[in-house]
Amino acid sequence: MTQALPKLLTFNEFIEWYPNDGKRYELHKRVIIEMPPPTGTHEKVIAFLSRKLTVEFDRLNLPYGIPKTALVKTPSAESAYSPDLLLLNLDNLDNEPLFQKQSTVSQAASVPIVIEVVSTNWRDDYYNKFRDYEEMGIPEYWIADYAALGARKFIGNPKQPTIFVCELVDGEYQMTVFQGNTAISSPTFPQLNLTAQQIFNAAN
């Protein structure tokens, strides 16, 4: 489980506090959250998705990249997230006031796609990050629930491994469900050749 550390902090205080201890931290509504260590299956899914997206944006010769660590700061500045997979538009980073020194982006133009691979703190991905990425205007948000941890109202009863692709339409996310051998439809990469089952198989 995630562990909340006491005291409310501003984003700048959070950055100044951030220790070099090898752990990952996020700021959720001004509260520091220590993220749990990822499981091996979780990391395998991230690695698979990173490879698939990298091949696609390289093929299209797009100015994109996937950073090792970077933060996404919400418009309200009360939260800062460390996504499981963050696709950056490198051409917009000169417009990001916090990127050079703090490896932080705050503009939707810098983030073509953000992906969260669901773990035990699934409510963060389905509720908090969904809301904040939507408010920020990030055009495409994936929720990769390979272990079927989310609520039944999202992934069915009985629960099934599910990929959600959330596309920003008129300022609101429209969620499309992908399960089994359904080919994933990505607005950013319309020719992406990938099924939900391939992502689930990556965890094995």
Side-chain angles (χ1 to χ4, degrees):
M1 296 294 292
T2 54
Q3 178 182 352
L5 304 181
K7 190 185 177 188
L8 297 179
L9 298 182
T10 65
F11 173 78
N12 287 335
E13 288 171 336
F14 170 65
I15 291 296
E16 290 174 8
W17 166 88
Y18 206 106
N20 185 19
D21 59 5
K23 297 177 182 179
R24 287 175 62 214
Y25 299 92
E26 293 185 337
L27 191 67
H28 292 203
K29 295 183 178 178
R30 299 185 62 191
V31 175
I32 297 171
I33 302 291
E34 179 184 342
M35 308 305 291
T39 63
T41 52
H42 187 272
E43 292 293 270
K44 285 164 70 176
V45 171
I46 293 171
F48 176 77
L49 287 170
S50 298
R51 178 166 65 90
K52 286 294 184 180
L53 293 185
T54 299
V55 167
E56 190 65 7
F57 69 69
D58 188 57
R59 182 182 73 82
L60 296 170
N61 198 30
L62 294 170
Y64 293 167
I66 298 173
K68 181 175 182 290
T69 54
L71 291 171
V72 175
K73 176 176 166 288
T74 63
S76 63
E78 292 185 341
S79 298
Y81 300 128
S82 175
D84 288 316
L85 199 158
L86 178 63
L87 187 62
L88 292 180
N89 178 358
L90 305 180
D91 281 355
N92 195 62
L93 295 184
D94 285 344
N95 301 320
E96 288 282 1
L98 301 172
F99 189 78
Q100 196 64 32
K101 291 185 177 181
Q102 299 167 338
S103 188
T104 299
V105 295
S106 58
Q107 300 173 11
S110 299
V111 187
I113 296 178
V114 63
I115 297 177
E116 298 289 357
V117 178
V118 178
S119 54
T120 51
N121 54 329
W122 62 267
R123 287 177 178 82
D124 287 340
D125 302 328
Y126 280 95
Y127 293 106
N128 299 336
K129 294 180 181 181
F130 179 97
R131 177 195 63 233
D132 288 342
Y133 293 151
E134 181 183 67
E135 180 193 5
M136 187 173 169
I138 292 175
E140 189 170 338
Y141 170 38
W142 292 25
I143 302 173
D145 197 346
Y146 74 94
L149 296 173
R152 289 176 178 84
K153 68 178 178 179
F154 293 115
I155 62 175
N157 188 11
K159 293 183 177 184
Q160 297 183 61
T162 305
I163 307 295
F164 292 93
V165 174
C166 309
E167 179 185 5
L168 197 71
V169 178
D170 296 329
E172 297 181 4
Y173 277 146
Q174 304 297 314
M175 300 177 73
T176 304
V177 177
F178 299 95
Q179 297 174 327
N181 290 312
T182 307
I184 288 174
S185 176
S186 165
T188 304
F189 298 118
Q191 293 178 297
L192 184 67
N193 184 17
L194 182 65
T195 67
Q197 193 60 49
Q198 285 176 295
I199 297 173
F200 306 146
N201 290 345
N204 298 329

